[in-house]
Amino acid sequence: MPRTPAPGGALLPATAGVASGIALVLALLVAPEDAVQGPAQRLMYVHVPAAWVAYLAFATVLVCSVAYLVRRDLRFDRCAQAAAELGVGLTALAIGLGMLWGRPVWGVWWTWDARLVTTTVLLLVYVAYLGVRRMADDPHVAARRSAAVGVVAFLNVPVVHFSVVWWRTLHQPPTVLGPDGSPPIDPVMAWALAAGVVAFTLLAVLVVRRRVAGLRAAGSGTAAVLPADGAAPVITVVPGGGR
Amino acid sequence: MSGRGAGRQALPAGTLGTVAVLVRRDARVALGGVDGFASVLPFVAAGVVLGGLVLGPDPAALRTAAPGLVWLLVLTAAVPLARVVAAAERDEDSWDLLRGLVPPGVLLLAKAAVLWAALAVTWGTGTVLAVLLLDGAVPVAGFAAALLGLVGVAASTTVFGALLAASARGAGLLAALVLPAGLPALLAGTQAGTAADPLPWLALLVAYDLVAGATAWAVFPFLLEE
């Protein structure tokens, strides 16, 4: 059976691959080692992009949820689901890398810090969002419920981002997007971080597009059966297919 | 159940009249049903007693932890109380009828009002027990924080209660949604009762109420469509 061409052709995967390579070189070889934290600081080049792109993914969930509620088009619902799955994965990655970094730098795997707690709450909320999607068999009912939860769930994102500003926390305040707008970071480190964000964003777009294509194929309810020699293809239609 | 008959009475014209009928009906159900206070209040009492046991006999530690413990118990109690949002309608299979008769905004207002009252009674019970058993103190700001913070919690919990109204599946997810939604109330409500300057925390609760209320008002109609 011929493979379905990847959405966006080969340009996006190639660009994401090149950006990832550049980010890797900048993070591991070019950027200077932190004078205080040592090599553990290099985890920041993955930890921070993972967290930022997770925010972006959850913002996508919000936009797609609102779009679904307005347009009632399952394409938006599939986009919301794919973005939520990616956001959950990246948030878990950010928490895990933060724990790996926290052990040598803070001396503990975990502490009851506002940023850590609110990020974990964010993760739990979107795990529950994905659970809500399974509560109904009808795709439009599931889409409507999850869209409502997707709108409510996004309220956690600004709480997470500003937690280090609103509360006195162990976690460092925003390094690049600080309230005063001046990044207190070495320029080479900033470039490595920016390259990581670009690479993660491109990879995220790639993953979401592929996931949306997969969900569309699964939800379309059509399963093509390979025909016998010269015969017409047999199409099985499953009720409840997507739009 | 004692409130069942009220569901069959004609809804009066006007928003306030409709809200009043729905509130009376749901309040009777909450008071009379096994899903309401009958199960929640003993849970709160057990929580305060066991909390005191876990936190130890040091009076200073108990006094410090008391406000936060009460708020945590209230949020935890919101999970079973969310089932009250559509308990009577689910039993009577009248949810569809009610949705057809009552505008979504009015229905949200009535359901959230009953839930707010239920949560307020729960907070009051927990606070009385905390004062008696944990040597806790409740300043005026603590009361104000409860009155304010529970508005947002009630609005969010009403949304999640409506989410489950049409489905018996996914009840376990309720805790993962209700508890984080009440995080601002948990934090600001606790701090307002203990901080030297409670005004910023009360302001945060007002902002939380506005955001939670506006979001609930925006998404609630979509949950009533099925």
Side-chain angles (χ1 to χ4, degrees), chain B:
Chain B
M1 210 175 271
S2 58
R4 296 299 151 83
R8 298 186 193 93
Q9 71 187 73
L11 291 169
T15 300
L16 286 179
T18 307
V19 169
V21 168
L22 291 173
V23 165
R24 276 200 301 273
R25 178 180 190 272
D26 278 14
R28 276 199 289 267
V29 171
L31 287 171
V34 292
D35 290 333
F37 290 119
S39 59
V40 166
L41 294 185
F43 161 76
V44 171
V48 172
V49 171
L50 294 181
L53 190 65
V54 167
L55 293 168
D58 179 12
L62 292 174
R63 203 176 303 121
T64 305
L69 177 65
V70 171
W71 270 100
L72 186 61
L73 289 171
V74 168
L75 276 191
T76 314
V79 178
L81 283 175
R83 307 290 292 178
V84 176
V85 168
E89 291 84 0
R90 200 168 42 244
D91 290 349
E92 294 174 339
D93 201 17
S94 62
W95 187 238
D96 290 335
L97 179 66
L98 191 64
R99 287 186 330 226
L101 290 174
V102 183
V106 176
L107 194 54
L108 172 66
L109 189 61
K111 296 290 183 184
V114 172
L115 208 49
W116 179 87
L119 291 167
V121 171
T122 306
W123 182 87
T125 306
T127 300
V128 168
L129 289 172
V131 168
L132 292 174
L133 303 178
L134 308 181
D135 197 22
V138 190
V140 176
F143 277 109
L147 296 177
L148 285 173
L150 293 178
V151 173
V153 176
S156 305
T157 307
T158 303
V159 168
F160 296 129
L163 183 71
L164 295 179
S167 172
R169 290 155 61 181
L173 292 170
L174 201 58
L177 292 168
V178 169
L179 294 176
L183 189 145
L186 173 72
L187 180 77
T190 303
Q191 293 296 324
T194 55
D197 180 13
L199 282 181
W201 297 108
L202 294 176
L204 177 62
L205 287 173
V206 171
Y208 167 62
D209 289 346
L210 290 174
V211 172
T215 310
W217 178 81
V219 302
F220 194 70
F222 296 107
L223 295 172
L224 300 179
E225 286 182 13
E226 55 211 63

Side-chain angles (χ1 to χ4, degrees), chain A residues 22-231:
Chain A
I22 292 172
L24 208 60
V25 169
L26 285 174
L28 293 178
L29 303 175
V30 179
E33 190 170 295
D34 188 270
V36 177
Q37 301 176 27
Q41 178 269 338
R42 292 190 193 278
L43 285 169
M44 178 190 77
Y45 301 119
V46 181
H47 170 79
V48 174
W52 280 4
V53 177
Y55 289 170
L56 185 66
F58 294 142
T60 306
V61 175
L62 172 70
V63 171
C64 290
S65 297
V66 172
Y68 174 79
L69 292 175
V70 174
R71 303 287 296 274
R72 303 305 166 103
D73 188 333
L74 283 176
R75 284 178 298 179
F76 294 117
D77 179 60
R78 288 192 286 267
C79 180
Q81 180 180 349
E85 290 170 352
L86 178 74
V88 164
L90 288 176
T91 305
L93 177 67
I95 291 172
L97 290 174
M99 293 175 78
L100 283 177
W101 173 87
R103 180 63 183 164
V105 177
W106 288 349
V108 289
W109 295 104
W110 178 264
T111 182
W112 292 101
D113 175 88
R115 171 59 69 83
L116 272 63
V117 173
T118 53
T119 304
T120 306
V121 166
L122 182 73
L123 176 66
L124 291 174
V125 167
Y126 277 94
V127 167
Y129 164 86
L130 292 174
V132 167
R133 305 191 60 85
R134 297 167 173 264
M135 283 172 53
D137 295 325
D138 185 307
H140 280 285
V141 173
R144 194 166 56 248
R145 288 177 181 169
S146 54
V149 175
V151 172
V152 177
F154 189 76
L155 298 179
N156 286 283
V157 173
V159 174
V160 174
H161 183 72
F162 290 108
S163 60
V164 290
V165 178
W166 292 342
W167 290 289
R168 190 183 301 124
T169 72
L170 196 57
H171 195 284
Q172 69 222 52
T175 307
V176 177
L177 297 177
D180 56 356
S182 57
I185 184 174
D186 182 278
V188 181
M189 287 180 167
W191 277 109
L193 196 57
V197 171
V198 170
F200 262 74
T201 305
L202 291 172
L203 287 169
V205 172
L206 186 67
V207 167
V208 167
R209 290 182 70 161
R210 282 180 178 272
R211 180 63 177 143
V212 166
L215 288 170
R216 185 171 57 240
S220 66
T222 56
V225 178
L226 282 177
D229 292 341

